[in-house]
Amino acid sequence: MPIRGVLFDVDDTLFDYSGSERAGILAHLRHLDLLRRVPDPQTAVALWREVLDEQYARFLAGELTFTGQQRERVRRFLARLGEDTAAMPDEAATAWFAGYTAHRDAAWTAFPDAAPVLAALAPTHRLGIVSNAPMDQQRPKLHATGLLHHFADTALVGSDRPGEAKPAPAIFLTGCARLGLPPHEVAYVGDRYDLDALGARGAGLRPFWLDRAASRTPVDDGIHVLHTLAELPAALRT
Ligand SMILES: [Mg+2]
């Protein structure tokens, strides 16, 4: 059965989320003259990521609000750089975080292989998005990076409610319904093996795992591996 539709993940699949985060924190630290507090930029990026993971987990566990985890990320990160942040007011932490997001959003970029693959597939395939983030967050990224016009607005599916996110089948099936196709005629492309590849397979779509790092992890039956999006059009024909 030929594949007639393709659904894509956004962050770290079409959109270089990790790259914009890295550029954003480094630009913000440079602006505040804080880069000298770390041995090298990579250490700062790794530390920022570590603090993000810790505090975002507390948000997911219901311990912190969304803005509360942003403020805690700022306090913990600066504490690790040697600042005394115990008494840092909420307003100051919020302002620091806003400075970071301004730098990060200025660094928004798509991967260079994203626009060409969408242009190549558009004449022959119905294209859509299935993302675990709300579309209010994802639509501006796709617009700013020149990718939004490849998708009908009805083909953009985000997750706004817990329990309806990838890897649960429902969100993939919603994406297929929005394309007007049954799951076995739809491919899904994403960078997360668990959420994207295994999730799509579980919902009956044809799963393509985008392994940009070429990590060569052994994959399960039925999972197709891509190292770049440029490989996708040929892979869909086989
Ligand atoms: Mg992703």
Side-chain angles (χ1 to χ4, degrees):
M1 188 64 74
I3 292 294
R4 299 167 63 202
V6 185
L7 295 168
F8 290 88
D9 168 56
V10 176
D11 289 333
D12 287 331
T13 294
L14 298 173
F15 176 81
D16 188 359
Y17 180 83
S18 298
S20 72
E21 184 182 70
R22 181 169 55 242
I25 191 63
L26 291 178
H28 191 46
L29 294 177
R30 207 172 287 121
H31 174 71
L32 297 173
D33 196 25
L34 286 173
L35 266 186
R36 60 196 163 75
R37 301 277 188 90
V38 285
D40 55 75
Q42 201 43 47
T43 302
V45 173
L47 186 56
W48 182 243
R49 168 53 68 161
E50 185 185 317
V51 171
L52 180 159
D53 289 343
E54 286 166 7
Q55 302 310 313
Y56 202 77
R58 294 178 67 199
F59 161 68
L60 291 176
E63 256 181 72
L64 294 171
T65 63
F66 191 74
T67 50
Q69 60 86 25
Q70 293 176 337
R71 292 194 286 259
E72 274 308 290
R73 281 163 67 181
V74 173
R75 291 191 181 99
R76 306 273 174 128
F77 180 76
L78 290 175
R80 298 280 292 271
L81 297 192
E83 303 232 336
D84 180 8
T85 56
M88 186 180 198
D90 281 356
E91 300 73 38
T94 297
W96 200 99
F97 197 86
Y100 155 68
T101 55
H103 283 110
R104 181 198 63 194
D105 296 357
W108 275 358
T109 49
F111 288 103
D113 52 11
V117 81
L118 295 174
L121 294 175
T124 49
H125 292 75
R126 300 180 199 177
L127 304 178
I129 294 289
V130 169
S131 168
N132 267 4
M135 269 308 125
D136 288 353
Q137 268 177 44
Q138 303 301 58
R139 197 181 281 102
K141 293 177 187 168
L142 294 169
H143 178 69
T145 53
L147 302 179
L148 188 62
H149 69 99
H150 290 291
F151 304 99
D153 200 56
T154 51
L156 304 176
V157 178
S159 173
D160 303 304
R161 281 168 291 198
E164 294 181 9
K166 298 179 290 185
I171 192 166
F172 293 101
L173 299 178
T174 300
C176 296
R178 297 286 186 85
L179 297 184
L181 295 170
H184 64 271
E185 293 185 12
V186 177
Y188 189 78
V189 184
D191 68 293
R192 285 285 302 267
Y193 187 75
D194 49 355
L195 301 181
D196 297 326
L198 294 180
R201 188 183 68 169
L205 289 74
R206 189 186 295 183
F208 288 86
W209 177 42
L210 179 59
D211 178 23
R212 289 191 184 276
S215 56
R216 298 176 203 280
T217 307
V219 296
D220 295 276
D221 285 349
I223 307 289
H224 307 268
V225 181
L226 304 171
H227 297 305
T228 79
L229 292 174
E231 298 165 12
L232 182 61
L236 288 172
R237 287 192 291 270
T238 59

